[in-house]
């Protein structure tokens, strides 16, 4: 009888979740960029409104550099957490899951951690941000 190789022995099978995660990380990084841009626009609109209607409120002007650094921290956390989760998934029962499922789940965990890090760098509490939505 011929032995059937396991799924983990096939190199294409073991790299498939990594490629799916890479694709989803690109998508979540785009969403992080849109979130950063939206927060910058909202900050600028709030600042402009208060400067016109109530200048004594002394709202801090939006600093573009703060938003760029927050985005870079978010991207770093997104990539690091997503690929750390893929490495962990290849050592657990999740290695038997479909590669697309592993890619979606790891990118989702990375995106949540990255979004939280992005908001924390901007001095926004992620929990209160979600409750305000």
């Amino acid at each position: 009888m011929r032995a059937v190789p396991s799924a983990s022995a096939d190199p294409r099978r073991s790299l498939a979740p990594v490629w799916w995660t890479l694709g989803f990380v690109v998508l979540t990084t785009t969403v992080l960029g849109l979130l950063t841009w939206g927060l910058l626009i909202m900050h600028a609109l709030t600042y402009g409104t208060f400067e016109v209607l109530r200048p004594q409120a002394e709202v801090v002007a939006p600093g573009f550099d703060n938003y760029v650094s927050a985005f870079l921290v978010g991207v770093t956390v997104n990539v690091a957490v997503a690929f750390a989760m893929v490495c962990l998934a290849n050592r657990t029962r999740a290695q038997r899951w479909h590669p697309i499922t592993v890619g979606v789940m790891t990118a989702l965990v990375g995106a949540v951690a990255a979004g939280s890090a992005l908001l924390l760098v901007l001095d926004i509490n992620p929990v209160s941000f979600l409750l305000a939505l």
Side-chain angles (χ1 to χ4, degrees):
M1 297 194 89
R2 194 173 85 172
V4 178
S6 67
S8 61
D10 185 14
R12 288 176 297 175
R13 173 84 175 139
S14 63
L15 284 179
V18 174
W19 288 109
W20 280 105
T21 300
L22 178 64
F24 288 120
V25 162
V26 169
L27 182 67
T28 56
T29 301
T30 304
V31 172
L32 282 174
L34 291 173
L35 174 66
T36 307
W37 177 77
L39 289 171
L40 176 64
I41 295 299
M42 292 300 295
H43 190 176
L45 289 172
T46 303
Y47 172 74
T49 302
F50 274 98
E51 278 297 306
V52 169
L53 298 177
R54 193 167 182 193
Q56 68 272 20
E58 297 181 13
V59 177
V60 178
F64 186 74
D65 293 339
N66 295 338
Y67 286 90
V68 170
S69 64
F71 176 70
L72 292 177
V73 167
V75 169
T76 304
V77 169
N78 189 19
V79 171
V81 170
F83 286 106
M85 293 298 293
V86 168
C87 291
L88 289 174
N90 284 336
R91 291 179 174 83
T92 63
R93 219 180 252 197
Q95 70 184 349
R96 291 184 253 154
W97 293 357
H98 196 275
I100 296 174
T101 306
V102 173
V104 167
M105 293 299 171
T106 56
L108 183 65
V109 170
V112 169
S116 297
L118 185 142
L119 291 172
L120 286 172
V121 169
L122 293 173
D123 291 329
I124 301 171
N125 184 353
V127 175
S128 63
F129 181 77
L130 288 177
L131 292 177
L133 295 178

